[in-house]
Amino acid sequence: SHARAFLQGWQGTLMADGYGGYKALFGQGVTELGCWAHARRKFFDLHAASNKPHEMAAVALQRIGELYAIEAQAREQSP
């Protein structure tokens, strides 16, 4: 109720960290935008929990790393 009251009918894309208070807003004009750090953590945990490297998790971690590298390069560029 606090998130709903704070945003008071606002519509758009919201990057959230999984806080349950935002869940009621998603699908009602607010689109959830996840963050790479949270997605990456799930793949990292899957990869680390396995006795042998988990192939899909390894590929996901590699691709996310490539995106981080692109973001790092973009940070140094002017608009």
Side-chain angles (χ1 to χ4, degrees), residues 2-20:
H2 297 292
R4 191 171 30 249
F6 177 73
L7 294 173
Q8 296 178 347
W10 174 82
Q11 294 185 348
T13 303
L14 177 68
M15 180 177 280
D17 62 359
Y19 170 61

Side-chain angles (χ1 to χ4, degrees), residues 36-50 52-69:
W36 280 119
H38 284 91
R40 184 189 178 282
R41 183 181 319 139
K42 298 295 184 182
F43 287 113
F44 180 85
D45 290 347
L46 176 61
H47 189 66
S50 187
K52 60 180 181 147
H54 191 281
E55 186 176 337
M56 183 176 24
V59 169
L61 290 169
Q62 177 187 354
R63 290 182 181 181
I64 292 169
E66 291 169 3
L67 289 172
Y68 281 170

